[in-house]
Amino acid sequence: MPSQFEVTAGKAAGPTTGGTVTQATNKSTAVTLNTESGQITMNNAALADAAEVTFQVNNDRVAATDVVVVNHGSGGTAGAYWLVVSTVAAGSFKVTVGNLSGGSLSQAIVINYALIKGASS
């Protein structure tokens, strides 16, 4: 990845590898995607209003000091979900998704993620 001094106007610096994975079985099923950025298509199991679910993303590129950024990329109802990275550890992170819609939703939303390498010293 280029340093902040190598970035030119109109060009974004970011992760150099990406990928996709689809969650099997249900919304709490773990997925594995060993890339610095990517898209996770969640299972379309029902998520009740005001409910939340957490699932693990196994990723050998993640260190415990990294920052993981997630957002609702596509699929499903825009604005109906909140997302947060609830745990970061060496080799994995956990994402918690909540339903804000006012009703039960059975949507296979697509979550975008990106790693920002961090350090403790």
Side-chain angles (χ1 to χ4, degrees):
M1 179 169 25
S3 76
Q4 64 182 352
F5 303 107
E6 297 171 303
V7 177
T8 58
K11 305 275 183 172
T16 57
T17 63
T20 61
V21 66
T22 299
Q23 192 178 44
T25 314
N26 59 53
K27 284 186 168 13
S28 63
T29 301
V31 298
T32 299
L33 187 55
N34 295 314
T35 58
E36 296 163 343
S37 65
Q39 293 187 311
I40 302 161
T41 301
M42 291 189 74
N43 185 277
N44 65 352
L47 186 61
D49 178 44
E52 58 187 53
V53 65
T54 300
F55 68 95
Q56 182 164 309
V57 179
N58 299 306
N59 185 317
D60 64 5
R61 307 282 176 101
V62 179
T65 54
D66 291 349
V67 176
V68 182
V69 180
V70 295
N71 71 293
H72 179 183
S74 63
T77 305
Y81 299 93
W82 61 266
L83 294 90
V84 65
V85 174
S86 50
T87 305
V88 178
S92 69
F93 60 93
K94 291 185 179 178
V95 177
T96 301
V97 178
N99 178 351
L100 302 170
S101 72
S104 181
L105 295 173
S106 297
Q107 300 175 326
I109 67 169
V110 177
I111 297 171
N112 296 332
Y113 79 86
L115 305 180
I116 300 171
K117 298 309 283 178
S120 61
S121 59

